[in-house]
């Protein structure tokens, strides 16, 4: 069965798929990965688990499809305006990624993503997804940095290298938030990243 | 039962505990968290699983004790020499944390730690461990930065904030390595961290 349209054999296939994805999101936020079952997704879906098993072999097959679905939506939703100032775009990206505090829904989803990513070391399909996902965010940041250099706002840094460091720092901070009770982590990282941007990137700043 | 000495009722309790911890390390490296069972740890231990169940209620209780055991050892093993130059200490820490390439054993252990950390969002004992562990590494880095300022090698940065960013960046890079197939991540992060250290920390550098 094609991943792209697992409900092609149902009427209103897309609507059914979207409804299942929403139910998966709801069940994942509520129960977390470890306690998630197809049965619980079926409850949120309001349909029999057997319908889900008809389309997916396992919880993990459904969850990887869910991750891809979310990334597809994100990719098409957040087209950047090339005309905007790159420094403002970078700040907006950091504001969103390192928002503090975050609400319960986002905390639950960050926890779930942390648990899903931890499947990647022993599961190739998860590894492929997080490779694609991290490449997308990496390329997004690289694009902002290249534009900032073109606009004369940023110094002539290596865009790939800079993007990679920003990406793993953001991912590390998000993981830290949901796996420890340390306080002020996100705020400290955000403030130090701002200092890093001033010292390394901004063309008109003296560190 | 006290976590500090779970084999107090056996003769040579410490030796038995060390042997079980070594068996846990071996089984965890070999099977990863998801496929690890008390039975498999028993195989590596060369003893009946029932002996392990006598001391630990579950796989997770044993694994948290294993993480604490490893951190205790690490804390006592790696006392820093306060007389060393802080800039060299920081480079040595980054050399170790972001070594590239790493051998199969270390790759397997990094994968296992990633999987164990992902238990923290829904398991308080894991969250307590990773809080303690991250505080230890945070304080270790903070100490190096404070010493570097005292030695006149580093600028008057905020040591806590700088340490927090370095810690989450290192953790993020280690996670990236075992959860994606992206290439050059660790090398790029290391090179950009070196540039960050020059731009933000080193007192005699112009960025």
């Amino acid at each position: 069965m094609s991943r792209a349209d697992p409900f092609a054999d149902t009427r209103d296939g897309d609507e059914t798929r979207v409804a299942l994805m929403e139910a998966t999101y709801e069940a994942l936020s509520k129960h977390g990965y470890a306690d998630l079952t197809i049965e619980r997704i079926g409850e949120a879906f309001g349909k029999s688990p057997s319908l889900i098993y008809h389309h997916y072999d396992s919880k993990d097959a459904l969850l990887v499809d869910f991750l891809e679905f979310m990334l597809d939506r994100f990719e098409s939703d957040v087209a950047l305006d090339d005309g905007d100032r790159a420094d403002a775009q970078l700040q907006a990206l950091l504001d969103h990624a390192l928002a503090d505090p975050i609400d319960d829904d986002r905390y639950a989803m960050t926890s779930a993503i942390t648990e899903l990513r931890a499947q990647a070391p022993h599961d190739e399909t998860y590894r492929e997804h997080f490779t694609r996902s991290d490449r997308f965010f990496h390329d997004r940041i690289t694009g902002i940095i290249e534009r900032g250099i073109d606009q004369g706002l940023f110094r002539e840094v290596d865009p790939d290298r800079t993007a990679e460091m920003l990406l793993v720092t953001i991912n590390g901070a998000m993981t830290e938030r949901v796996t420890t009770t340390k306080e002020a982590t996100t705020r400290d990282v955000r403030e130090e990243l701002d200092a890093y941007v001033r010292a390394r990137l901004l063309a008109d700043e003296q560190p």
Side-chain angles (χ1 to χ4, degrees), chain A:
Chain A
M1 190 174 317
S2 156
R3 185 188 61 72
D5 190 1
F7 294 93
D9 55 343
T10 64
R11 214 155 32 147
D12 300 322
D14 278 359
E15 280 175 38
T16 309
R17 180 166 186 252
V18 169
L20 176 58
M21 293 296 134
E22 284 169 356
T24 303
Y25 181 92
E26 188 186 322
L28 186 60
S29 300
K30 185 174 173 189
H31 301 290
Y33 174 79
D35 293 327
L36 191 66
T37 58
I38 293 276
E39 284 66 29
R40 286 181 160 167
I41 297 167
E43 278 170 33
F45 194 31
K47 306 214 166 155
S48 158
S50 64
L51 179 67
I52 302 173
Y53 279 118
H54 182 63
H55 295 290
Y56 296 96
D57 293 338
S58 64
K59 169 176 107 170
D60 286 319
L62 171 54
L63 285 173
V64 169
D65 193 38
F66 166 73
L67 287 168
E68 293 284 309
F69 174 84
M70 296 279 283
L71 184 57
D72 287 341
R73 284 201 149 180
F74 197 82
E75 285 178 346
S76 55
D77 278 0
V78 289
L80 284 178
D81 183 342
D82 286 359
D84 288 350
R85 283 176 61 105
D87 51 358
Q89 286 179 340
L90 185 59
Q91 290 305 312
L93 184 145
L94 294 175
D95 283 346
H96 176 76
L98 298 174
D100 187 42
I102 49 175
D103 63 23
D104 289 351
D105 281 352
R106 188 153 164 211
Y107 190 93
M109 193 44 56
T110 305
S111 299
I113 298 290
T114 299
E115 295 174 282
L116 293 172
R117 186 185 275 272
Q119 309 310 310
H122 62 267
D123 186 320
E124 196 180 340
T125 52
Y126 278 105
R127 207 154 57 241
E128 282 168 7
H129 167 76
F130 283 102
T131 301
R132 184 189 149 211
S133 170
D134 282 353
R135 278 211 183 106
F136 167 73
F137 290 108
H138 174 106
D139 292 348
R140 170 63 54 105
I141 302 172
T142 302
I144 293 173
I145 295 170
E146 287 172 342
R147 208 148 42 239
I149 295 171
D150 289 347
Q151 292 170 344
L153 299 168
F154 293 164
R155 295 198 182 100
E156 300 263 346
V157 296
D158 181 326
D160 262 319
R161 214 175 75 176
T162 310
E164 193 59 33
M165 183 168 118
L166 287 169
L167 177 66
V168 302
T169 305
I170 289 167
N171 284 346
M174 290 173 78
T175 304
E176 187 86 6
R177 161 138 66 187
V178 296
T179 61
T180 73
T181 56
K182 282 176 80 214
E183 287 180 7
T185 294
T186 308
R187 196 193 61 214
D188 279 355
V189 171
R190 177 59 204 271
E191 289 179 1
E192 190 57 27
L193 273 183
D194 283 345
Y196 162 77
V197 167
R198 286 194 299 274
R200 282 280 297 158
L201 281 180
L202 294 189
D204 59 355
E205 287 275 343
Q206 292 301 317

